[in-house]
Coordinates of all heavy atoms in Angstrom, one line a residue:
M183 N -111.8 -11.6 101.5 CA -111.4 -10.9 100.3 C -112.7 -10.5 99.7 O -113.4 -11.3 99.3 CB -110.4 -11.5 99.4 CG -109.1 -12.0 100.1 SD -108.1 -13.0 99.0 CE -107.6 -11.7 97.8
L184 N -112.7 -9.2 99.4 CA -113.9 -8.5 98.7 C -113.6 -8.5 97.2 O -112.5 -8.0 96.8 CB -114.3 -7.3 99.3 CG -114.9 -7.4 100.9 CD1 -115.1 -5.9 101.2 CD2 -116.1 -8.2 100.8
Y185 N -114.6 -8.6 96.4 CA -114.4 -8.5 94.9 C -115.7 -7.9 94.3 O -116.8 -8.3 94.7 CB -114.2 -9.9 94.2 CG -113.0 -10.6 94.6 CD1 -112.9 -11.4 95.6 CD2 -112.0 -10.6 93.8 CE1 -111.9 -12.2 96.0 CE2 -110.9 -11.1 94.1 CZ -110.8 -12.0 95.2 OH -109.6 -12.7 95.6
L186 N -115.5 -7.0 93.4 CA -116.5 -6.3 92.6 C -116.6 -7.3 91.4 O -115.5 -7.4 90.6 CB -116.3 -4.9 92.3 CG -117.1 -4.4 91.2 CD1 -118.6 -4.1 91.7 CD2 -116.6 -3.0 90.7
V187 N -117.8 -7.8 91.2 CA -117.9 -8.8 90.0 C -119.1 -8.2 89.1 O -120.2 -7.9 89.5 CB -118.2 -10.1 90.4 CG1 -118.4 -11.1 89.2 CG2 -117.1 -10.7 91.4
E188 N -118.7 -7.9 87.8 CA -119.6 -7.4 86.8 C -119.9 -8.6 85.8 O -119.0 -9.1 85.3 CB -119.2 -6.3 86.0 CG -118.8 -5.1 87.0 CD -118.1 -3.9 86.4 OE1 -118.7 -3.1 85.6 OE2 -116.8 -3.9 86.6
M189 N -121.2 -9.0 85.8 CA -121.5 -10.2 84.9 C -122.4 -9.7 83.8 O -123.6 -9.0 84.1 CB -122.2 -11.2 85.7 CG -121.3 -11.8 86.8 SD -122.1 -13.1 87.7 CE -122.0 -12.4 89.3
T190 N -122.2 -10.0 82.5 CA -123.1 -9.7 81.5 C -123.5 -11.0 80.8 O -122.5 -11.9 80.5 CB -122.5 -8.8 80.4 OG1 -122.2 -7.5 81.1 CG2 -123.4 -8.6 79.2
V191 N -124.8 -11.3 80.7 CA -125.2 -12.7 80.0 C -125.4 -12.3 78.5 O -126.1 -11.5 78.2 CB -126.4 -13.2 80.8 CG1 -126.9 -14.5 80.2 CG2 -126.2 -13.4 82.2
N192 N -124.8 -13.2 77.8 CA -125.0 -13.2 76.3 C -125.6 -14.6 75.9 O -124.9 -15.5 75.7 CB -123.7 -13.1 75.5 CG -123.1 -11.8 76.1 OD1 -123.6 -10.7 75.9 ND2 -121.8 -11.8 76.6
V193 N -126.9 -14.5 75.8 CA -127.7 -15.8 75.5 C -127.4 -16.1 74.0 O -127.6 -15.2 73.1 CB -129.2 -15.5 75.6 CG1 -130.0 -16.8 75.3 CG2 -129.5 -15.2 77.1
P194 N -126.9 -17.3 73.8 CA -126.7 -17.7 72.4 C -128.0 -17.7 71.5 O -129.1 -18.2 72.0 CB -126.0 -19.0 72.5 CG -126.3 -19.5 73.7 CD -126.7 -18.4 74.7
H195 N -127.8 -17.3 70.3 CA -128.9 -17.4 69.2 C -129.1 -18.9 69.1 O -128.4 -19.6 69.1 CB -128.6 -16.8 68.1 CG -128.4 -15.4 68.0 ND1 -128.7 -14.5 69.2 CD2 -128.1 -14.3 67.1 CE1 -128.5 -13.3 68.8 NE2 -128.1 -13.2 67.7
G196 N -130.4 -19.1 69.0 CA -130.8 -20.7 68.7 C -131.1 -21.5 70.0 O -131.5 -22.6 69.8
I197 N -130.9 -20.9 71.2 CA -131.1 -21.7 72.3 C -132.7 -21.8 72.5 O -133.3 -20.9 72.2 CB -130.5 -21.2 73.6 CG1 -130.7 -22.0 74.7 CG2 -131.1 -19.8 74.0 CD1 -129.7 -21.8 76.0
S198 N -133.1 -23.0 72.8 CA -134.5 -23.2 73.0 C -135.1 -22.4 74.1 O -134.4 -22.4 75.2 CB -134.9 -24.6 73.1 OG -134.7 -25.2 74.3
P199 N -136.3 -21.8 74.1 CA -136.8 -21.1 75.1 C -136.9 -22.1 76.5 O -136.8 -21.5 77.5 CB -138.2 -20.7 74.7 CG -138.1 -20.7 73.2 CD -137.2 -21.7 72.9
E200 N -137.3 -23.2 76.3 CA -137.4 -24.2 77.4 C -136.0 -24.4 78.1 O -136.0 -24.4 79.3 CB -137.9 -25.5 77.0 CG -139.3 -25.5 76.4 CD -139.4 -25.0 74.9 OE1 -138.2 -25.2 74.2 OE2 -140.4 -24.6 74.5
V201 N -134.9 -24.6 77.3 CA -133.6 -24.7 78.0 C -133.3 -23.4 78.7 O -132.8 -23.5 79.8 CB -132.5 -25.0 77.0 CG1 -131.2 -25.0 77.3 CG2 -132.8 -26.5 76.3
L202 N -133.4 -22.4 78.0 CA -133.2 -21.0 78.7 C -133.9 -20.8 79.9 O -133.3 -20.4 81.0 CB -133.5 -19.9 77.7 CG -133.0 -18.4 78.2 CD1 -131.7 -18.2 78.6 CD2 -133.5 -17.4 77.2
E203 N -135.2 -21.2 79.9 CA -136.0 -21.0 81.3 C -135.5 -22.0 82.4 O -135.5 -21.6 83.6 CB -137.5 -21.2 80.9 CG -138.2 -20.1 80.3 CD -137.9 -18.7 81.0 OE1 -138.2 -18.6 82.1 OE2 -137.5 -17.7 80.3
Q204 N -135.1 -23.2 82.0 CA -134.5 -24.0 82.9 C -133.2 -23.5 83.5 O -133.0 -23.6 84.8 CB -134.2 -25.4 82.3 CG -133.7 -26.4 83.3 CD -134.6 -26.7 84.5 OE1 -135.8 -26.7 84.3 NE2 -134.0 -26.9 85.7
L205 N -132.3 -22.9 82.6 CA -131.1 -22.4 83.1 C -131.3 -21.2 84.1 O -130.6 -21.1 85.0 CB -130.3 -22.0 81.8 CG -129.6 -23.0 81.1 CD1 -129.0 -22.5 79.9 CD2 -128.5 -23.7 82.0
K206 N -132.3 -20.4 83.8 CA -132.6 -19.2 84.5 C -133.2 -19.6 85.9 O -132.8 -19.1 86.9 CB -133.7 -18.3 83.8 CG -133.2 -17.5 82.7 CD -134.3 -16.7 82.1 CE -133.9 -15.8 81.0 NZ -135.0 -14.9 80.4
T207 N -134.0 -20.8 86.0 CA -134.5 -21.3 87.2 C -133.3 -21.8 88.1 O -133.2 -21.6 89.3 CB -135.5 -22.4 87.0 OG1 -136.5 -21.8 86.2 CG2 -135.9 -23.0 88.2
E208 N -132.3 -22.6 87.4 CA -131.2 -23.0 88.1 C -130.3 -22.0 88.5 O -129.7 -22.0 89.6 CB -130.5 -24.0 87.3 CG -131.2 -25.4 87.0 CD -130.6 -26.1 85.9 OE1 -129.4 -25.7 85.3 OE2 -131.1 -27.1 85.4
E209 N -130.2 -20.9 87.9 CA -129.3 -19.9 88.1 C -129.8 -19.1 89.4 O -129.0 -18.6 90.3 CB -129.3 -18.7 87.0 CG -128.3 -17.6 87.2 CD -126.9 -18.0 86.8 OE1 -126.5 -18.9 86.3 OE2 -126.0 -17.0 87.3
K210 N -131.1 -18.9 89.3 CA -131.8 -18.2 90.5 C -131.5 -19.0 91.8 O -131.2 -18.4 92.9 CB -133.3 -18.0 90.3 CG -134.1 -17.2 91.4 CD -135.5 -17.0 90.9 CE -136.1 -16.1 91.9 NZ -137.4 -15.6 91.5
Q211 N -131.7 -20.4 91.7 CA -131.4 -21.1 92.9 C -130.1 -21.0 93.4 O -129.8 -21.0 94.7 CB -131.8 -22.6 92.6 CG -131.6 -23.5 93.8 CD -132.4 -23.2 95.0 OE1 -133.6 -22.8 95.0 NE2 -131.8 -23.3 96.2
R212 N -129.0 -21.2 92.5 CA -127.6 -21.0 92.8 C -127.3 -19.8 93.5 O -126.6 -19.7 94.4 CB -126.7 -21.3 91.6 CG -125.3 -21.5 92.0 CD -125.0 -22.7 92.8 NE -123.5 -22.8 93.2 CZ -123.0 -22.8 94.3 NH1 -123.8 -23.0 95.3 NH2 -121.7 -22.7 94.5
A213 N -127.8 -18.7 92.8 CA -127.6 -17.5 93.4 C -128.1 -17.2 94.8 O -127.4 -16.6 95.7 CB -128.2 -16.2 92.6
K214 N -129.3 -17.8 95.1 CA -129.9 -17.9 96.4 C -128.9 -18.7 97.3 O -128.6 -18.1 98.4 CB -131.2 -18.4 96.3 CG -131.9 -18.5 97.6 CD -133.2 -19.1 97.6 CE -134.0 -19.2 99.0 NZ -135.1 -20.1 98.9
E215 N -128.5 -19.7 97.0 CA -127.5 -20.5 97.9 C -126.3 -19.7 98.2 O -125.9 -19.6 99.4 CB -127.2 -21.8 97.1 CG -128.4 -22.7 97.0 CD -127.9 -23.9 96.0 OE1 -126.8 -23.9 95.4 OE2 -128.8 -24.7 95.6
L216 N -125.7 -19.1 97.2 CA -124.4 -18.3 97.4 C -124.7 -17.1 98.2 O -123.9 -16.7 99.1 CB -123.8 -17.9 96.2 CG -123.3 -19.1 95.2 CD1 -122.8 -18.4 93.9 CD2 -122.1 -19.8 96.0
Q217 N -125.8 -16.5 98.3 CA -126.3 -15.3 99.0 C -126.4 -15.8 100.5 O -126.0 -15.2 101.4 CB -127.4 -14.5 98.5 CG -127.2 -13.9 97.1 CD -128.4 -13.2 96.6 OE1 -128.9 -12.2 97.1 NE2 -128.9 -13.8 95.5
E218 N -127.3 -16.9 100.7 CA -127.5 -17.5 102.0 C -126.1 -17.9 102.7 O -126.1 -17.8 103.8 CB -128.6 -18.7 101.9 CG -129.9 -18.1 101.5 CD -130.9 -19.1 101.3 OE1 -130.5 -20.4 101.1 OE2 -132.1 -18.8 101.4
S219 N -125.3 -18.3 101.9 CA -123.8 -18.8 102.5 C -123.0 -17.7 102.9 O -122.0 -17.8 103.7 CB -123.1 -19.6 101.4 OG -122.6 -18.8 100.4
G220 N -123.4 -16.5 102.4 CA -122.7 -15.3 102.9 C -121.5 -14.9 101.7 O -120.9 -13.8 102.0
H221 N -121.4 -15.6 100.8 CA -120.3 -15.3 99.8 C -120.8 -14.3 98.9 O -120.0 -13.5 98.5 CB -120.0 -16.6 99.1 CG -119.3 -17.6 99.9 ND1 -118.2 -17.4 100.5 CD2 -119.7 -19.0 100.0 CE1 -117.7 -18.5 101.2 NE2 -118.6 -19.5 100.9
W222 N -122.0 -14.4 98.5 CA -122.6 -13.3 97.5 C -123.2 -12.2 98.5 O -124.4 -12.3 98.7 CB -123.5 -13.9 96.5 CG -123.8 -13.1 95.2 CD1 -123.8 -11.9 95.1 CD2 -124.2 -13.7 94.0 NE1 -124.0 -11.6 93.8 CE2 -124.4 -12.7 93.0 CE3 -124.4 -15.1 93.5 CZ2 -124.8 -13.0 91.8 CZ3 -124.7 -15.3 92.3 CH2 -125.0 -14.2 91.4
K223 N -122.4 -11.2 98.7 CA -122.9 -10.2 99.6 C -124.0 -9.2 99.2 O -124.9 -8.8 99.8 CB -121.7 -9.3 100.1 CG -120.8 -10.1 100.9 CD -121.4 -10.5 102.3 CE -120.3 -10.9 103.3 NZ -121.2 -11.3 104.5
H224 N -123.8 -8.7 97.9 CA -124.8 -7.8 97.2 C -125.1 -8.1 95.8 O -124.1 -8.7 95.2 CB -124.2 -6.3 97.3 CG -124.0 -5.9 98.7 ND1 -125.0 -5.5 99.6 CD2 -122.9 -5.8 99.5 CE1 -124.6 -5.2 100.8 NE2 -123.3 -5.3 100.8
L225 N -126.1 -7.8 95.3 CA -126.5 -8.2 93.9 C -127.5 -7.1 93.4 O -128.5 -6.8 94.0 CB -127.2 -9.6 93.8 CG -127.8 -10.0 92.5 CD1 -126.8 -10.1 91.4 CD2 -128.5 -11.4 92.7
W226 N -127.0 -6.4 92.3 CA -127.8 -5.3 91.7 C -127.9 -5.6 90.2 O -127.0 -6.0 89.5 CB -127.2 -4.0 91.9 CG -127.0 -3.5 93.3 CD1 -127.9 -2.9 94.1 CD2 -125.8 -3.6 94.1 NE1 -127.4 -2.6 95.2 CE2 -126.1 -3.0 95.3 CE3 -124.5 -4.2 93.8 CZ2 -125.2 -3.0 96.3 CZ3 -123.6 -4.1 94.9 CH2 -123.9 -3.5 96.1
R227 N -129.1 -5.4 89.6 CA -129.4 -5.4 88.3 C -128.8 -4.2 87.7 O -129.0 -3.1 88.2 CB -130.9 -5.5 88.1 CG -131.3 -5.6 86.6 CD -132.6 -5.6 86.5 NE -133.2 -7.0 87.2 CZ -134.4 -7.3 87.4 NH1 -135.4 -6.5 86.8 NH2 -134.7 -8.3 88.0
V228 N -128.4 -4.3 86.4 CA -127.9 -3.2 85.7 C -129.1 -2.8 84.8 O -129.6 -3.6 83.9 CB -126.6 -3.5 84.8 CG1 -126.2 -2.2 83.9 CG2 -125.5 -3.8 85.7
V229 N -129.7 -1.6 84.9 CA -130.8 -1.2 84.2 C -130.5 -1.3 82.6 O -129.5 -0.7 82.0 CB -131.3 0.3 84.5 CG1 -132.5 0.7 83.7 CG2 -131.6 0.1 86.1
G230 N -131.5 -1.8 81.9 CA -131.6 -2.0 80.5 C -130.6 -3.0 80.0 O -130.4 -3.0 78.6
R231 N -129.9 -3.7 80.8 CA -129.1 -4.7 80.2 C -129.3 -6.2 80.9 O -129.8 -6.1 82.0 CB -127.6 -4.4 80.5 CG -127.3 -3.2 79.6 CD -125.7 -2.7 80.0 NE -124.8 -3.8 80.1 CZ -123.8 -3.7 80.9 NH1 -123.6 -2.5 81.6 NH2 -122.8 -4.7 81.1
Y232 N -129.0 -7.3 80.3 CA -129.0 -8.6 81.1 C -127.7 -8.7 81.7 O -126.8 -9.3 81.2 CB -129.3 -9.7 80.0 CG -129.6 -11.0 80.6 CD1 -130.0 -12.1 79.7 CD2 -129.7 -11.2 82.0 CE1 -130.2 -13.2 80.2 CE2 -130.1 -12.3 82.5 CZ -130.4 -13.4 81.6 OH -130.8 -14.7 82.1
A233 N -127.5 -7.9 82.9 CA -126.4 -7.8 83.5 C -126.6 -7.5 85.1 O -127.6 -7.2 85.4 CB -125.4 -6.7 82.9
N234 N -125.5 -7.8 85.8 CA -125.6 -7.4 87.2 C -124.2 -7.0 87.6 O -123.1 -7.2 87.0 CB -126.1 -8.6 88.1 CG -125.1 -9.7 88.2 OD1 -124.2 -9.6 89.0 ND2 -125.5 -10.9 87.6
V235 N -124.4 -6.3 88.8 CA -123.0 -5.9 89.5 C -123.2 -6.5 90.9 O -124.2 -6.4 91.6 CB -122.9 -4.3 89.7 CG1 -121.7 -4.0 90.4 CG2 -122.9 -3.7 88.3
S236 N -122.1 -7.2 91.4 CA -122.2 -7.9 92.7 C -120.9 -7.6 93.5 O -119.8 -7.3 92.9 CB -122.3 -9.3 92.3 OG -123.6 -9.6 91.7
I237 N -121.1 -7.8 94.8 CA -120.0 -8.1 95.7 C -119.9 -9.4 96.3 O -120.9 -9.9 96.8 CB -120.2 -7.0 96.9 CG1 -120.3 -5.5 96.3 CG2 -119.0 -6.9 97.9 CD1 -119.0 -5.0 95.6
F238 N -118.8 -10.0 96.1 CA -118.6 -11.4 96.7 C -117.4 -11.1 97.8 O -116.5 -10.4 97.7 CB -118.0 -12.2 95.6 CG -118.9 -12.8 94.7 CD1 -119.4 -12.1 93.6 CD2 -119.5 -14.2 94.8 CE1 -120.5 -12.7 92.8 CE2 -120.4 -14.7 93.9 CZ -120.8 -14.0 92.9
D239 N -117.6 -12.0 98.8 CA -116.7 -12.2 99.9 C -116.2 -13.5 100.0 O -117.0 -14.4 100.5 CB -117.4 -11.7 101.3 CG -116.4 -11.5 102.4 OD1 -115.2 -12.0 102.3 OD2 -116.8 -11.1 103.5
V240 N -115.0 -13.8 99.5 CA -114.4 -15.2 99.6 C -113.0 -15.1 100.2 O -112.4 -14.1 100.3 CB -114.5 -15.8 98.1 CG1 -115.8 -16.0 97.7 CG2 -113.7 -14.9 97.2
D241 N -112.5 -16.4 100.3 CA -111.1 -16.5 100.8 C -110.0 -16.3 99.9 O -108.8 -16.0 100.2 CB -111.1 -17.7 101.6 CG -111.9 -17.8 102.8 OD1 -112.0 -16.7 103.5 OD2 -112.3 -18.9 103.2
S242 N -110.2 -16.5 98.6 CA -109.2 -16.5 97.6 C -109.7 -16.3 96.2 O -110.9 -16.5 95.9 CB -108.4 -17.9 97.6 OG -109.3 -18.9 97.1
H243 N -108.9 -16.0 95.4 CA -109.2 -15.9 93.9 C -109.6 -17.3 93.3 O -110.7 -17.2 92.6 CB -108.0 -15.6 93.0 CG -107.2 -14.4 93.4 ND1 -107.8 -13.2 93.9 CD2 -105.8 -14.2 93.6 CE1 -106.9 -12.2 94.1 NE2 -105.6 -12.9 94.1
D244 N -109.1 -18.4 93.8 CA -109.6 -19.7 93.4 C -111.0 -19.9 93.8 O -111.7 -20.5 93.1 CB -108.6 -20.7 93.8 CG -107.2 -20.7 93.2 OD1 -107.2 -20.2 92.1 OD2 -106.2 -21.0 93.7
E245 N -111.2 -19.5 95.0 CA -112.6 -19.9 95.6 C -113.7 -19.0 94.7 O -114.7 -19.5 94.3 CB -112.9 -19.3 97.0 CG -114.1 -19.7 97.5 CD -114.4 -19.5 99.0 OE1 -113.5 -18.7 99.6 OE2 -115.4 -19.8 99.7
L246 N -113.3 -17.8 94.4 CA -114.2 -16.9 93.7 C -114.4 -17.6 92.3 O -115.6 -17.7 91.7 CB -113.6 -15.5 93.4 CG -114.6 -14.5 92.6 CD1 -115.9 -14.4 93.2 CD2 -113.8 -13.3 92.3
H247 N -113.4 -18.1 91.6 CA -113.5 -18.6 90.4 C -114.4 -20.0 90.4 O -115.3 -20.1 89.5 CB -112.1 -19.1 89.8 CG -112.3 -19.6 88.4 ND1 -112.5 -18.9 87.2 CD2 -112.2 -20.9 88.1 CE1 -112.6 -19.8 86.1 NE2 -112.4 -21.0 86.6
T248 N -114.2 -20.7 91.4 CA -115.0 -21.9 91.6 C -116.4 -21.5 91.8 O -117.3 -22.2 91.3 CB -114.4 -22.7 92.8 OG1 -113.2 -23.1 92.5 CG2 -115.4 -24.0 93.1
L249 N -116.8 -20.6 92.6 CA -118.2 -20.1 92.7 C -118.7 -19.6 91.5 O -120.0 -19.9 91.1 CB -118.2 -19.0 93.9 CG -117.9 -19.5 95.2 CD1 -118.0 -18.4 96.3 CD2 -118.8 -20.6 95.7
L250 N -118.1 -18.8 90.8 CA -118.7 -18.1 89.5 C -118.7 -19.3 88.5 O -119.8 -19.2 87.8 CB -117.8 -16.9 89.0 CG -117.6 -15.8 89.9 CD1 -116.5 -15.0 89.2 CD2 -118.9 -15.0 90.0
S251 N -117.9 -20.1 88.3 CA -118.0 -21.2 87.5 C -119.1 -22.2 87.7 O -119.6 -22.9 86.9 CB -116.8 -21.9 87.2 OG -116.2 -22.5 88.2
S252 N -119.6 -22.1 88.8 CA -120.6 -23.0 89.3 C -122.0 -22.5 88.9 O -123.1 -23.1 89.1 CB -120.7 -23.2 90.8 OG -121.2 -22.1 91.6
L253 N -122.0 -21.2 88.4 CA -123.3 -20.7 88.0 C -123.9 -21.3 86.7 O -122.9 -21.4 85.8 CB -123.2 -19.1 87.8 CG -122.8 -18.3 89.2 CD1 -122.5 -16.9 88.8 CD2 -124.1 -18.3 90.0
P254 N -125.1 -21.6 86.4 CA -125.6 -22.4 85.3 C -125.5 -21.5 84.1 O -125.1 -22.1 83.0 CB -127.1 -22.6 85.6 CG -127.2 -22.9 87.1 CD -126.0 -21.8 87.7
L255 N -125.5 -20.2 84.2 CA -125.4 -19.3 83.0 C -123.9 -18.9 82.7 O -123.7 -18.2 81.8 CB -126.2 -18.1 83.2 CG -127.7 -18.3 83.0 CD1 -128.4 -17.1 83.4 CD2 -128.0 -18.7 81.6
F256 N -122.9 -19.5 83.5 CA -121.4 -19.1 83.4 C -121.0 -19.2 82.0 O -120.2 -18.4 81.5 CB -120.7 -19.9 84.4 CG -119.2 -19.7 84.3 CD1 -118.6 -18.5 84.8 CD2 -118.4 -20.6 83.6 CE1 -117.3 -18.4 84.7 CE2 -117.0 -20.5 83.5 CZ -116.5 -19.4 84.1
P257 N -121.4 -20.3 81.3 CA -120.8 -20.4 79.9 C -121.3 -19.2 79.0 O -120.5 -19.0 77.9 CB -121.5 -21.9 79.4 CG -121.8 -22.5 80.6 CD -122.1 -21.4 81.6
F258 N -122.3 -18.5 79.3 CA -122.7 -17.4 78.4 C -122.5 -16.1 79.1 O -122.9 -15.1 78.6 CB -124.4 -17.6 78.3 CG -124.8 -19.0 78.0 CD1 -125.7 -19.7 78.7 CD2 -124.0 -19.5 76.8 CE1 -126.1 -20.9 78.3 CE2 -124.6 -20.9 76.4 CZ -125.5 -21.6 77.1
M259 N -121.6 -16.0 80.0 CA -121.3 -14.7 80.7 C -119.9 -14.2 80.2 O -118.9 -14.9 80.1 CB -121.3 -14.8 82.3 CG -122.5 -15.2 82.8 SD -122.3 -15.4 84.7 CE -124.1 -15.7 85.2
D260 N -120.0 -12.8 80.2 CA -118.7 -12.1 80.2 C -118.5 -11.5 81.6 O -119.5 -10.9 82.1 CB -118.7 -10.9 79.2 CG -118.7 -11.3 77.7 OD1 -117.9 -12.5 77.5 OD2 -119.2 -10.8 76.9
I261 N -117.5 -11.8 82.2 CA -117.3 -11.5 83.7 C -116.0 -10.5 83.9 O -115.0 -10.9 83.3 CB -117.2 -12.7 84.6 CG1 -118.5 -13.4 84.5 CG2 -116.8 -12.3 86.0 CD1 -118.4 -14.9 85.2
R262 N -116.2 -9.4 84.5 CA -115.0 -8.6 84.9 C -115.0 -8.6 86.5 O -116.0 -8.4 87.2 CB -115.3 -7.2 84.4 CG -114.3 -6.3 84.9 CD -114.6 -4.8 84.5 NE -114.2 -4.7 83.1 CZ -114.3 -3.7 82.3 NH1 -114.9 -2.6 82.9 NH2 -114.0 -3.8 81.1
V263 N -113.7 -9.0 86.9 CA -113.5 -9.1 88.3 C -112.5 -8.0 88.8 O -111.5 -7.8 88.2 CB -113.1 -10.4 88.8 CG1 -112.7 -10.5 90.3 CG2 -114.0 -11.5 88.4
T264 N -112.9 -7.2 89.9 CA -111.9 -6.4 90.6 C -111.8 -6.6 92.0 O -112.8 -6.6 92.8 CB -112.5 -4.8 90.3 OG1 -112.8 -4.6 88.9 CG2 -111.6 -3.8 90.9
A265 N -110.5 -6.9 92.4 CA -110.2 -7.1 93.8 C -110.4 -5.6 94.6 O -110.0 -4.7 94.0 CB -108.9 -7.5 94.1
L266 N -111.0 -5.8 95.7 CA -111.3 -4.4 96.4 C -110.4 -4.4 97.8 O -110.2 -5.5 98.4 CB -112.7 -4.4 96.9 CG -113.7 -4.3 95.6 CD1 -115.1 -4.4 96.2 CD2 -113.5 -3.2 94.8
A267 N -110.1 -3.4 98.2 CA -109.3 -3.1 99.5 C -109.9 -2.0 100.2 O -110.5 -1.0 99.5 CB -107.8 -2.8 99.1
K268 N -109.7 -2.0 101.4 CA -110.3 -1.0 102.2 C -109.6 0.4 101.9 O -108.6 0.5 101.8 CB -110.1 -1.3 103.7 CG -110.8 -0.3 104.8 CD -110.7 -0.8 106.1 CE -111.6 0.1 106.9 NZ -111.8 -0.3 108.4
H269 N -110.6 1.5 101.9 CA -110.1 2.8 101.4 C -109.7 3.4 102.8 O -110.3 3.3 103.9 CB -111.2 3.6 100.9 CG -110.7 4.9 100.3 ND1 -110.5 6.0 101.1 CD2 -110.5 5.1 98.9 CE1 -110.1 7.0 100.2 NE2 -110.2 6.5 99.0
P270 N -108.5 4.2 102.8 CA -108.1 4.8 104.1 C -109.1 5.8 104.7 O -109.0 6.2 105.9 CB -106.7 5.5 103.7 CG -106.7 5.5 102.2 CD -107.7 4.5 101.8
S271 N -110.1 6.4 104.0 CA -110.9 7.3 104.4 C -112.3 6.7 104.9 O -113.2 7.5 105.3 CB -111.2 8.5 103.3 OG -110.1 9.1 103.1
T272 N -112.3 5.3 104.8 CA -113.6 4.6 105.3 C -113.8 4.9 106.8 O -112.9 4.9 107.5 CB -113.6 3.2 105.0 OG1 -113.3 3.1 103.6 CG2 -114.8 2.5 105.3
I273 N -115.1 5.2 107.2 CA -115.3 5.5 108.6 C -116.1 4.2 109.1 O -116.7 3.5 108.4 CB -116.0 6.7 108.8 CG1 -117.3 6.7 108.1 CG2 -115.1 8.0 108.7 CD1 -118.2 7.9 108.6

Protein backbone atom coordinates (compact mmCIF):
# COMPACT_ATOMS: atom_id res chain seq x y z
CA MET A 1 0.00 0.00 0.00
CA LEU A 2 1.31 3.42 -0.92
CA TYR A 3 0.95 6.47 1.29
CA LEU A 4 1.75 10.14 0.83
CA VAL A 5 3.10 11.33 4.18
CA GLU A 6 3.64 15.00 4.97
CA MET A 7 5.72 15.64 8.09
CA THR A 8 6.33 18.99 9.76
CA VAL A 9 8.73 19.16 12.69
CA ASN A 10 7.92 21.60 15.50
CA VAL A 11 10.99 21.81 17.73
CA PRO A 12 9.90 22.72 21.26
CA HIS A 13 11.25 25.93 22.75
CA GLY A 14 13.87 25.33 25.38
CA ILE A 15 15.22 22.06 23.99
CA SER A 16 18.98 22.02 24.41
CA PRO A 17 21.03 22.27 21.20
CA GLU A 18 22.89 19.09 22.18
CA VAL A 19 19.68 17.09 22.59
CA LEU A 20 18.33 18.43 19.29
CA GLU A 21 21.52 17.52 17.42
CA GLN A 22 21.43 14.01 18.90
CA LEU A 23 17.81 13.58 17.82
CA LYS A 24 18.64 14.80 14.30
CA THR A 25 21.51 12.30 14.07
CA GLU A 26 19.24 9.48 15.21
CA GLU A 27 16.49 10.64 12.82
CA LYS A 28 18.88 10.59 9.87
CA GLN A 29 19.99 7.03 10.74
CA ARG A 30 16.42 5.78 11.13
CA ALA A 31 15.37 7.41 7.84
CA LYS A 32 18.30 5.71 6.12
CA GLU A 33 17.26 2.33 7.54
CA LEU A 34 13.67 2.75 6.37
CA GLN A 35 14.80 3.82 2.89
CA GLU A 36 17.20 0.89 2.61
CA SER A 37 14.43 -1.51 3.69
CA GLY A 38 12.27 -0.23 0.81
CA HIS A 39 9.49 1.12 3.02
CA TRP A 40 10.42 4.81 2.60
CA LYS A 41 10.35 5.07 -1.20
CA HIS A 42 10.82 8.81 -1.71
CA LEU A 43 11.81 11.73 0.50
CA TRP A 44 11.67 15.41 -0.47
CA ARG A 45 12.39 18.51 1.58
CA VAL A 46 9.77 21.28 1.59
CA VAL A 47 11.56 24.50 0.73
CA GLY A 48 11.57 27.10 3.50
CA ARG A 49 10.11 24.82 6.17
CA TYR A 50 11.33 22.14 8.57
CA ALA A 51 9.14 19.65 6.72
CA ASN A 52 9.19 16.86 4.18
CA VAL A 53 6.92 15.06 1.76
CA SER A 54 7.43 11.34 1.44
CA ILE A 55 6.08 8.18 -0.16
CA PHE A 56 5.90 5.06 1.99
CA ASP A 57 5.19 1.52 0.76
CA VAL A 58 3.93 -0.72 3.56
CA ASP A 59 1.50 -3.60 4.05
CA SER A 60 -0.99 -1.89 6.37
CA HIS A 61 -2.06 1.26 8.18
CA ASP A 62 -0.73 -0.26 11.38
CA GLU A 63 2.70 -0.89 9.85
CA LEU A 64 2.88 2.71 8.66
CA HIS A 65 1.99 3.96 12.13
CA THR A 66 4.65 1.73 13.69
CA LEU A 67 7.31 3.01 11.29
CA LEU A 68 6.38 6.66 11.72
CA SER A 69 6.27 6.40 15.50
CA SER A 70 9.77 4.85 15.44
CA LEU A 71 11.22 8.14 14.18
CA PRO A 72 13.16 9.94 16.93
CA LEU A 73 11.52 13.28 16.08
CA PHE A 74 8.01 11.74 16.00
CA PRO A 75 6.94 13.42 19.29
CA PHE A 76 7.57 16.81 17.66
CA MET A 77 5.89 16.11 14.30
CA ASP A 78 2.58 17.06 12.79
CA ILE A 79 1.91 14.29 10.27
CA ARG A 80 -0.68 14.12 7.49
CA VAL A 81 -1.21 10.74 5.80
CA THR A 82 -3.03 10.15 2.52
CA ALA A 83 -3.62 6.64 1.21
CA LEU A 84 -2.86 6.40 -2.53
CA ALA A 85 -4.51 4.29 -5.21
CA LYS A 86 -3.48 3.70 -8.80
CA HIS A 87 -4.97 6.24 -11.20
CA PRO A 88 -6.81 4.70 -14.19
CA SER A 89 -4.85 6.90 -16.63
CA THR A 90 -1.44 5.76 -15.36
CA ILE A 91 0.70 4.26 -18.11
